[in-house]
Amino acid sequence: MILKKRYLNIFPSNWARWLEAAGTWAPLWLGLTIVVAYLLVRCVFDGFFMAIWGMPPGVNPFWLSETWWTEFVNALLLGYIAAVFMIARRGVGDDLGALRPQFPLSVNDFDKIGFAATVSPGLAVRLFELSGLAIGFMVAYLDPQLSSGTEVSVTNPIFMWALFHTSLFVWAVFVLLGADLRVTRSYYYAGKNLLEIDLLNVQSMSAFARRGLRSALTWVVFSVIFSLFWLGEGTAARQNIFLLVATLAMATGAFIFPLIGVRSNILAVKNSELDRLRAEIRVERKSIMKPISADRTTSPRLANLIAYYQLVERAREWPIDAVNILKFCLYMLIGLGSWLGAAIVERLLDSSLAS
């Protein structure tokens, strides 16, 4: 519990610490707050344009718009991303608390693992996040579908809102991606270089599998929410299929990559131990091949060495079991099924409206 609190107190600002102190349901309340705030900003935005320039002909404000579903899904995605950040930080605290006995490090050196995974990113990551903002701006400016083909003008509310929410959304996704990659890299490095391996207790390193499952679930749920765009009338872009592929690929990489570092460490220790045992077995074998004295007819040490060699040889090389693999496959099926189901519903709606 102490270790968990240590890594929950590294937020860079007081408001973040206050949110963490709000309890178990803090991520949910944070997400709901952002959902409501986004929708309110949307209403205020349209109200401002109505009061200053008026809405273009044929364009209704958000509260009367037929495309309200799109904004609702956008709000859900932004709220989800914020909530996931808090959940991910808590997960890192839990994992480090469980793994602490297996890191032969000083307190300061061990702290660096948590800090590298959760503290504010460096310059390179900041630039990566800002590139998301720039990419979102360019996409909204260059893709007429996002602004319904309307005029590119600061007095056009459709274009200006598309510019705002697309930039905000792409930036948020890049922030989530950068944070997930940072945590994944920290787990990979720690598992490969810092973890003390016990070949007879590989299950004790299951926190790495849990981390991979959490990250995979993060991107699968993101994909599920994004698939809701298909349920709105004319709100799903056909390019969304590329996002499905990207999110499922990210989920797969986030699940496997932390395990690869641990597996590399386990394999190195295992091979070293097997080499040592083979050397001892050869020495013991030579000793029993010498003329045997009357009081020495067997070599129990050789039998013990061979039994231990076989035990080490059968030791698992991956800190994961069949249950975790089954969970991961289920997550992937849920992500894929949500998109297929939403696409089918959209087809049925189109058919019913066309008839």
Side-chain angles (χ1 to χ4, degrees):
M1 181 63 68
I2 294 176
L3 284 169
K4 180 178 178 180
K5 288 181 179 179
R6 289 173 65 87
Y7 295 106
L8 293 182
N9 289 331
I10 59 178
F11 288 91
S13 56
N14 292 328
W15 67 267
R17 296 191 185 97
W18 176 81
L19 282 173
E20 266 303 334
T24 304
W25 297 101
L28 175 62
W29 298 125
L30 175 62
L32 289 177
T33 300
I34 290 179
V35 169
V36 173
Y38 178 89
L39 296 176
L40 288 176
V41 169
R42 180 68 166 99
C43 292
V44 171
F45 182 89
D46 281 0
F48 172 80
F49 271 86
M50 287 181 64
I52 302 300
W53 291 292
M55 303 298 286
V59 176
N60 294 320
F62 167 67
W63 53 88
L64 298 176
S65 174
E66 296 178 353
T67 60
W68 62 272
W69 181 252
T70 304
E71 296 299 347
F72 180 70
V73 177
N74 282 328
L76 281 179
L77 286 169
L78 290 175
Y80 170 74
I81 290 173
V84 160
F85 271 111
M86 188 174 295
I87 295 172
R89 288 175 181 269
R90 290 179 171 182
V92 171
D94 291 338
D95 292 342
L96 291 177
L99 291 169
R100 179 61 181 103
Q102 296 175 255
F103 283 98
L105 303 171
S106 66
V107 174
N108 290 335
D109 289 338
F110 182 70
D111 285 348
K112 293 178 182 178
I113 302 174
F115 294 159
T118 53
V119 295
S120 299
L123 179 60
V125 178
R126 288 296 189 194
L127 292 175
F128 175 76
E129 295 172 354
L130 290 175
S131 71
L133 193 65
I135 290 172
F137 185 90
M138 288 188 296
V139 168
Y141 188 83
L142 298 175
D143 188 355
Q145 183 180 5
L146 294 175
S147 57
S148 304
T150 57
E151 179 187 4
V152 177
S153 171
V154 294
T155 61
N156 181 1
I158 300 177
F159 169 74
M160 291 301 295
W161 181 255
L163 203 65
F164 168 75
H165 87 76
T166 304
S167 301
L168 176 64
F169 175 74
V170 177
W171 170 79
V173 172
F174 271 55
V175 171
L176 177 61
L177 178 61
D180 195 65
L181 290 175
R182 189 167 66 252
V183 175
T184 300
R185 182 187 61 184
S186 297
Y187 274 66
Y188 173 83
Y189 177 82
K192 183 178 180 180
N193 302 294
L194 304 177
L195 193 67
E196 187 175 58
I197 302 298
D198 182 358
L199 293 174
L200 303 184
N201 189 21
V202 176
Q203 186 60 32
S204 63
M205 292 169 276
S206 59
F208 286 87
R210 291 196 301 269
R211 152 62 197 171
L213 285 173
R214 283 199 311 270
S215 186
L217 184 61
T218 294
W219 291 103
V220 167
V221 174
F222 178 87
S223 174
V224 170
I225 298 175
F226 202 93
S227 70
L228 296 177
F229 280 120
W230 289 87
L231 300 182
E233 183 179 354
T235 60
R238 295 298 177 261
Q239 294 85 354
N240 286 353
I241 189 64
F242 297 108
L243 181 64
L244 170 63
V245 174
T247 53
L248 294 184
M250 184 65 193
T252 302
F255 174 68
I256 295 176
F257 200 68
L259 300 176
I260 293 177
V262 182
R263 195 257 181 179
S264 177
N265 196 349
I266 293 174
L267 194 59
V269 173
K270 182 176 180 179
N271 290 335
S272 176
E273 184 70 357
L274 290 176
D275 290 341
R276 183 187 68 82
L277 289 172
R278 277 193 292 266
E280 292 194 20
I281 289 172
R282 284 194 296 268
V283 171
E284 190 65 23
R285 183 188 63 183
K286 289 180 180 180
S287 68
I288 66 172
M289 291 179 67
K290 296 177 180 180
I292 304 175
S293 61
D295 60 345
R296 182 185 178 197
T297 58
T298 62
S299 176
R301 185 171 186 273
L302 178 60
N304 291 337
L305 285 172
I306 293 174
Y308 182 53
Y309 180 92
Q310 293 173 341
L311 183 62
V312 171
E313 191 176 35
R314 292 194 298 267
R316 288 161 43 191
E317 297 177 1
W318 293 90
I320 190 171
D321 53 24
V323 174
N324 289 326
I325 295 176
L326 182 61
K327 286 182 179 179
F328 173 72
C329 293
L330 181 61
Y331 292 165
M332 300 298 283
L333 288 175
I334 291 173
L336 183 60
S338 66
W339 281 71
L340 292 176
I344 291 172
V345 170
E346 188 203 32
R347 291 290 185 182
L348 293 175
L349 289 174
D350 290 343
S351 300
S352 61
L353 292 175
S355 60

